[in-house]
Amino acid sequence: MFEEEYEKLSRGEQNQFQEVLSNLLYHCFIVRRSFDKPTNTFKINPNYLFIERHFDLITSYLDFAGIEVTKDDDNGVIFTSSSFDVNKIRIDGVTTLLIYALRSYYEDKLGSNPTSNEVTIDSIALKSLLKELSLSTVNRRISAVTIQAGLRTLSSYNIIAIRRGSFSDVSYSFDILPSIRYAISNARLNSLYETLTSNAPVADTPFDVNKGEML
C-alpha cells in the first residue's frame, strides 16, 4: 500500500518526502506558521502543508517503525510519539526552568490574545520574567551563558524560533511556538511549580525525543 502510493508522487515530491520526514524526526515538532524575517510577517510552513497533504502516506510509513504522527489543527502543531523507551535525552535544570517560565508566559499572553498561536518575547522581558518567577537566583545556576544554551536547545526542537538578533546578542527577541504546550504537560507544569515553591533544586529532566515531551 505504501509503496504504491509513494510511487504516485513525482520525483520532486519524493525528494521533499525524505526531507520533510527527516525534519519531523529530528526536530520532533513541525509548526504551521513561522516568522519570515525578510517580509516581517508570518508565513505558512511548507513542511506542515506537505505533511497535511500526504498525512496518510507519512503515517503509514512511520507506522512500520512504531512511530505515531499527531496533527493538532487548533494549535497548528504536528509531532511524533513512540511507545518505545528509547531516544531520550536529558535537559539540564536551567533549560527545564526556561520551559516552565516560557509556558507560563505563553498561556498568560494567549489569555489576552486568543486569536494568535505564537507569543513574542524579548531578552528584557525574559529577564524580568525569570526574576518575577524567582528563578534567577544563584542556586538555580541561571546565567547569560546557560540561558543562551537553553534557548538554543529549545530552538532546535521548534519550541521557540528566533525573530531578531541571536541568542548570543545582548538584545534579541524570539517567538514561543504552540509546540511548547506539548513540550511540557500540565501535570509536569504543576509538579515544577511545587518544586519551585518549596525552593528545592530543579534536577535535569528526561526529554523524550520521539514524543517531544519532558518526562
Side-chain angles (χ1 to χ4, degrees):
M1 180 65 178
F2 166 77
E3 291 183 0
E4 292 178 2
E5 293 301 316
Y6 181 78
E7 288 301 324
K8 293 179 182 179
L9 300 178
S10 67
R11 180 59 61 87
E13 288 175 324
Q14 290 178 358
N15 292 336
Q16 191 175 2
F17 179 91
Q18 297 172 13
E19 181 181 351
V20 170
L21 206 61
S22 295
N23 283 333
L24 177 61
L25 293 175
Y26 180 78
H27 295 292
C28 295
F29 298 106
I30 300 291
V31 293
R32 181 167 50 211
R33 302 201 320 162
S34 55
F35 185 75
D36 182 62
K37 289 184 179 180
T39 60
N40 199 36
T41 59
F42 278 97
K43 289 189 174 181
I44 301 299
N45 187 340
N47 288 342
Y48 189 98
L49 291 179
F50 185 88
I51 297 174
E52 199 169 43
R53 285 198 308 271
H54 303 287
F55 190 74
D56 290 342
L57 182 64
I58 290 173
T59 54
S60 175
Y61 177 80
L62 290 178
D63 186 58
F64 288 107
I67 297 175
E68 181 181 353
V69 183
T70 300
K71 181 164 63 73
D72 178 357
D73 289 324
D74 290 336
N75 287 292
V77 180
I78 294 173
F79 61 95
T80 59
S81 58
S82 173
S83 57
F84 297 103
D85 191 27
V86 294
N87 206 20
K88 292 181 174 61
I89 63 172
R90 295 195 73 83
I91 290 182
D92 62 85
V94 172
T95 306
T96 300
L97 291 174
L98 285 171
I99 292 181
Y100 169 81
L102 294 177
R103 171 66 189 276
S104 301
Y105 187 87
Y106 180 85
E107 297 296 347
D108 180 61
K109 293 301 180 183
L110 248 61
S112 58
N113 185 20
T115 59
S116 176
N117 280 330
E118 305 85 12
V119 170
T120 304
I121 185 171
D122 60 27
S123 51
I124 296 175
L126 177 60
K127 291 177 183 178
S128 297
L129 175 65
L130 296 176
K131 184 177 181 180
E132 177 185 333
L133 296 175
S134 301
L135 303 181
S136 55
T137 56
V138 176
N139 64 315
R140 301 201 190 281
R141 310 187 305 267
I142 289 186
S143 66
V145 173
T146 56
I147 289 175
Q148 289 171 19
L151 293 177
R152 289 192 185 99
T153 297
L154 300 184
S155 178
S156 70
Y157 290 108
N158 284 337
I159 296 171
I160 63 174
I162 193 72
R163 175 180 279 222
R164 175 177 53 82
S166 70
F167 295 126
S168 58
D169 293 340
V170 175
S171 177
Y172 55 83
S173 65
F174 60 92
D175 292 314
I176 308 171
L177 305 176
S179 45
I180 197 167
R181 285 180 158 169
Y182 291 99
I184 177 171
S185 64
N186 290 333
R188 181 65 178 140
L189 194 70
N190 293 334
S191 175
L192 275 171
Y193 174 79
E194 293 175 0
T195 299
L196 293 169
T197 53
S198 66
N199 207 33
V202 176
D204 293 353
T205 305
F207 187 84
D208 190 336
V209 175
N210 282 325
K211 192 175 182 182
E213 181 180 348
M214 294 168 60
L215 304 176

